[in-house]
Amino acid sequence: YKPSIIFIDEIESIVGKRGGHEGLEYMDKLVSQILQEIDGMKDTAHVFIIGATNIPDAIDPALLRGGRLSTQIEIPLPGKPEREKLFDLFLKKTNKTADVNLGELAGLAEGYSGADIQDICQRAILDVFDKSGGEAKEVAQTDLKESLEKYKKSSKAYHVPEYIKKGTEEGLSA
């Protein structure tokens, strides 16, 4: 049907690089079949296929050729001003103590995505709620820093993939 948008999240799971699936030859056949299906689409005006991934290096290069998914848009990790705005957004409806310093939190959360920051805020709010015995209490800077530290440990020293760090260091994210 037209117009249509076909969105495939984590596209690398179905069109990963061919030849890298030892014992899973059917994966190479699946990638080839998907590429043939995309090539075989007739009259694709007003039909858009969008794929999203956190691992662009894992996608078969043939998928990125012209006429397939040929336009690539990188959405970089948020910089410090954006992280500060994200903390503000996720804590907007939360009672906070006067010591909450969003700039400091943003500095401590370098390399974290918006989803990471949302999770950190939600964990802090829930921890305060649990500690207070189910009463609505204010969230303090120490609660948020504790949550950030717990998040770091639970994600096993959260790391940013090298290809994202490289792009950020070269100023590609600006």
Side-chain angles (χ1 to χ4, degrees), residues 106-131:
L108 294 170
E110 185 169 349
Y112 285 60
S113 70
D116 297 329
I117 292 169
Q118 181 180 21
D119 195 32
I120 289 163
C121 293
Q122 288 175 343
R123 286 178 186 211
I125 294 164
L126 288 173
D127 285 348
V128 168
F129 188 75
D130 286 345
K131 287 177 190 174

Side-chain angles (χ1 to χ4, degrees), residues 42-72:
K42 302 288 184 227
D43 189 22
T44 57
H46 307 291
V47 175
F48 301 93
I49 301 172
I50 301 172
T53 183
N54 290 328
I55 315 169
D57 293 343
I59 296 174
D60 193 283
L63 184 69
L64 305 176
R65 275 202 318 252
R68 291 178 178 158
L69 299 183
S70 54
T71 302
Q72 298 175 35

Side-chain angles (χ1 to χ4, degrees), residues 75-153:
I75 301 173
L77 291 170
K80 186 175 180 190
E82 292 84 13
R83 292 191 306 271
E84 190 170 340
K85 288 177 186 173
L86 287 165
F87 274 108
D88 184 43
L89 173 73
F90 297 129
L91 295 170
K92 192 167 261 346
K93 295 180 181 179
T94 302
N95 293 325
K96 300 174 286 295
T97 59
D99 71 334
V100 171
N101 181 336
L102 302 178
E104 180 186 5
L105 294 169
L108 294 170
E110 185 169 349
Y112 285 60
S113 70
D116 297 329
I117 292 169
Q118 181 180 21
D119 195 32
I120 289 163
C121 293
Q122 288 175 343
R123 286 178 186 211
I125 294 164
L126 288 173
D127 285 348
V128 168
F129 188 75
D130 286 345
K131 287 177 190 174
S132 69
E135 292 182 33
K137 296 281 183 182
E138 292 180 321
V139 174
Q141 182 78 353
T142 54
D143 300 318
L144 290 158
K145 287 169 80 172
E146 230 176 75
S147 179
L148 204 145
E149 195 56 39
K150 282 182 192 175
Y151 190 81
K152 206 180 283 188
K153 287 179 182 173

